[in-house]
């Protein structure tokens, strides 16, 4: 009896059906594609309809008719796309209007919803991603290793955050990877309250930046300080253009360097940042020097900002120049010199960088007047943030609360 279902209500039924050429031939007293409907029903119409109601008390989900307590789904066209105990599944919802294919031919339909193949998205799987699934996952991964911080869904490398108030233009949950949750700034969460940071600070990506004279996770504690706000900032600024060199928090004339506990950022005004001695792979001074207050002191035989260039070269000048030519055939894009097959960009134009001096670091985003806020490396016009930082200009600290 492969493919034919027996009814389960009432007394056991013997020999209701036989199978011929993949179709059910029903015994007397039964009908339906699977011989599931009795010709004679001993149920009242009210009882029958009650058995056919879905969780919303709708008979057969308005997509079928009720026969003796069982739903007969509306498939008059023979497609079989409407199904389910209460006809609750309608796979016609998955048909693409243009191609007339189920999920555009790029996915499978389950109970009226398309589940797209890798590289496709949309309600009908009609849109194709221009990046690989791996790259999409990488872009959606938050600094804590979670996809969209477990607060959103990833589609083609972009996170759609699950905001608690989807009607708002700016939600409580936001950020490139949904890493910001402004609800963390409220002493007691109330969507309709403006009482951020106890009224004594500014909420920045779910973290309170307290005004002078206040401290605590929600700026709830007053702080006694004999210095005025101006005097405090002046002490924290020192010879720098910004308080704590833009790398820390100023409290009563003293700097707390960011990120808390990272010994690479230090100094009275956080003026030393040894992260600047590291390349994108975290190698300090190219492995050919030591770092002193954010500057590389190179070993003999090496030079460069990160001690990346050997003074002696074991290749001919012609071989070296061939490696320094960019795609347009220009040596180091005309903005640097070639040494041992690598471009050394003009020191006078500090913003020129890249393998062939083809990048302009001025294109990197700034915050508080600092490129990448001093919390990352400008890599060919884009900020590559250090661990714990995020944002276009690496201006958002995602770590634990400040000490």
């Amino acid at each position: 009896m492969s493919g034919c279902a027996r009814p389960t209500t009432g007394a056991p039924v013997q020999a209701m059906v036989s199978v011929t050429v993949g179709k059910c031939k029903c015994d007397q007293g039964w009908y339906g594609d699977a011989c599931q409907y009795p010709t004679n029903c001993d149920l009242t119409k009210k009882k029958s309809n009650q058995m056919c109601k879905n969780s919303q008390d709708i008979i057969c989900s308005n997509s079928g008719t009720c026969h003796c307590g069982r739903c007969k789904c509306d498939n008059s066209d023979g497609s079989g796309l409407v199904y389910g105990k209460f006809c609750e599944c309608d796979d016609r919802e998955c048909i693409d209007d243009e191609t007339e294919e189920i999920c555009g031919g790029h996915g499978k339909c389950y109970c009226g919803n398309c589940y797209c193949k890798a590289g496709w998205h949309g309600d009908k799987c009609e849109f194709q991603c221009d990046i690989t699934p791996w790259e999409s996952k990488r872009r959606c991964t938050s600094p804590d290793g979670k996809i969209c911080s477990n607060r959103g869904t990833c589609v083609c490398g972009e996170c759609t955050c699950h905001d608690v108030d989807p009607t708002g233009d700016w939600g409580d949950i936001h950020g490139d990877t949904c890493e910001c949750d402004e609800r963390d700034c409220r002493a007691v969460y109330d969507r309709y309250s403006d009482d951020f940071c106890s009224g004594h600070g500014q909420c920045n990506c779910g973290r309170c930046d307290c005004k002078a004279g206040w401290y605590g996770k929600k700026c709830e504690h007053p702080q006694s300080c004999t210095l005025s706000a101006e005097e405090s900032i002046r002490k924290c600024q020192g010879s720098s253009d910004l308080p704590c060199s833009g790398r820390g928090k100023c409290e009563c004339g003293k700097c707390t360097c960011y990120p808390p506990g990272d010994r690479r950022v230090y100094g009275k005004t956080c003026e030393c940042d040894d992260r600047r001695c590291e390349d994108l792979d975290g190698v300090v001074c190219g492995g050919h020097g030591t770092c002193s207050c954010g500057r590389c002191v190179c070993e003999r035989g090496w030079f460069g900002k990160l001690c990346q260039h050997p003074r002696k070269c074991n290749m001919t000048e012609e071989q070296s120049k061939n490696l320094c030519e960019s795609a347009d055939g220009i040596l180091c894009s005309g903005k640097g010199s070639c040494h041992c097959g690598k471009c050394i960009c003009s020191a006078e134009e500090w913003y020129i960088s890249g393998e062939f001096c083809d990048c302009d670091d001025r294109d990197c985003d700034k915050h508080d007047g600092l490129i990448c806020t001093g919390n990352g490396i400008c890599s060919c016009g884009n900020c590559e943030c250090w661990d714990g930082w995020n944002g276009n200009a690496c201006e958002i600290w995602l770590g634990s609360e400040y000490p």
Side-chain angles (χ1 to χ4, degrees), residues 285-290 296-313 339-340 342 344:
C285 299
H288 306 294
T290 57
C296 285
V297 180
C298 301
E299 297 173 355
R300 182 176 296 180
W302 294 87
F303 72 101
K305 185 178 179 181
L306 296 176
C307 304
Q308 70 272 42
H309 302 298
R311 292 195 179 277
K312 291 184 179 180
C313 186
H339 174 76
C340 207
K342 293 186 178 181
I344 301 174

Side-chain angles (χ1 to χ4, degrees), residues 13-90:
V13 179
Q14 301 293 328
M16 295 185 307
V17 59
S18 60
V19 181
T20 57
V21 198
K23 292 185 178 181
C24 291
K25 183 179 179 182
C26 302
D27 289 341
Q28 186 175 357
W30 297 88
Y31 74 102
D33 293 338
C35 302
Q36 69 270 45
Y37 305 116
T39 304
N40 298 317
C41 184
D42 57 0
L43 298 174
T44 64
K45 187 174 182 181
K46 182 178 180 181
K47 179 66 175 177
S48 175
N49 286 343
Q50 191 65 35
M51 293 172 66
C52 287
K53 288 182 179 180
N54 63 15
S55 58
Q56 285 80 40
D57 284 335
I58 300 174
I59 296 175
C60 299
S61 306
N62 285 337
S63 296
T65 53
C66 184
H67 292 266
C68 201
R70 295 169 179 267
C71 286
K72 184 178 182 182
C73 301
D74 183 12
N75 284 301
S76 56
D77 56 359
S79 64
L81 294 176
V82 183
Y83 57 96
K85 183 179 180 181
F86 303 107
C87 304
E88 69 275 13
C89 296
D90 189 348

Side-chain angles (χ1 to χ4, degrees), residues 51-333:
M51 293 172 66
C52 287
K53 288 182 179 180
N54 63 15
S55 58
Q56 285 80 40
D57 284 335
I58 300 174
I59 296 175
C60 299
S61 306
N62 285 337
S63 296
T65 53
C66 184
H67 292 266
C68 201
R70 295 169 179 267
C71 286
K72 184 178 182 182
C73 301
D74 183 12
N75 284 301
S76 56
D77 56 359
S79 64
L81 294 176
V82 183
Y83 57 96
K85 183 179 180 181
F86 303 107
C87 304
E88 69 275 13
C89 296
D90 189 348
D91 284 0
R92 293 173 299 184
E93 297 290 334
C94 293
I95 298 175
D96 187 283
D97 295 333
E98 294 186 7
T99 65
E100 296 185 351
E101 291 184 275
I102 294 288
C103 300
H106 306 297
K108 292 184 179 181
C109 186
Y110 296 99
C111 203
N113 294 294
C114 282
Y115 292 83
C116 307
K117 295 178 182 177
W120 294 86
H121 67 103
D123 292 338
K124 307 290 178 62
C125 304
E126 67 271 35
F127 302 116
Q128 187 174 17
C129 296
D130 56 358
I131 57 177
T132 63
W134 179 89
E135 176 65 14
S136 175
K137 181 179 179 181
R138 187 191 71 81
R139 293 186 186 181
C140 288
T141 301
S142 57
D144 59 5
K146 298 174 183 176
I147 302 298
C148 300
S149 306
N150 285 346
R151 300 189 189 108
T153 53
C154 179
V155 177
C156 282
E158 294 186 2
C159 288
T160 301
C161 303
H162 297 156
D163 190 9
V164 293
D165 182 14
T167 61
D169 293 332
W170 181 264
D172 284 316
I173 301 173
H174 59 93
D176 292 341
T177 57
C178 306
E179 69 278 2
C180 300
D181 192 342
E182 306 292 350
R183 295 174 297 178
D184 292 340
C185 288
R186 304 180 193 267
V188 177
Y189 180 70
D190 177 2
R191 174 68 197 175
Y192 303 100
S193 169
D194 291 328
D195 187 25
F196 282 111
C197 306
S198 306
H200 304 300
Q202 182 177 354
C203 186
N204 182 11
C205 193
R207 182 206 70 228
C208 284
D209 286 330
C210 302
K211 296 177 181 177
W214 294 89
Y215 73 101
K217 190 174 181 179
K218 306 289 175 65
C219 304
E220 68 273 30
H221 302 299
Q223 185 181 57
S224 58
C225 181
T226 58
L227 298 177
S228 67
E230 292 77 12
E231 289 173 330
S232 175
I233 290 175
R234 190 160 54 246
K235 282 199 170 189
C236 288
Q237 191 165 335
S239 59
S240 174
D241 293 333
L242 295 170
C244 304
S245 305
R247 303 187 192 100
K249 184 177 183 179
C250 180
E251 292 180 314
C252 201
K254 293 184 178 180
C255 288
T256 300
C257 303
Y258 299 159
D262 192 335
R263 296 183 178 181
R264 294 174 299 177
V265 184
Y266 56 96
K268 186 177 180 180
T269 58
C270 306
E271 68 275 14
C272 296
D273 188 351
D274 287 355
R275 295 172 301 180
R276 296 186 175 278
C277 293
E278 300 177 7
D279 60 19
L280 290 174
D281 296 321
V283 179
V284 176
C285 299
H288 306 294
T290 57
C291 187
S292 176
C293 197
R295 293 179 179 271
C296 285
V297 180
C298 301
E299 297 173 355
R300 182 176 296 180
W302 294 87
F303 72 101
K305 185 178 179 181
L306 296 176
C307 304
Q308 70 272 42
H309 302 298
R311 292 195 179 277
K312 291 184 179 180
C313 186
N314 59 359
M315 63 176 67
T316 65
E317 187 175 349
E318 188 64 27
Q319 289 173 326
S320 177
K321 287 184 177 180
N322 286 338
L323 293 173
C324 288
E325 285 185 359
S326 54
D328 54 11
I330 300 176
L331 195 70
C332 299
S333 305

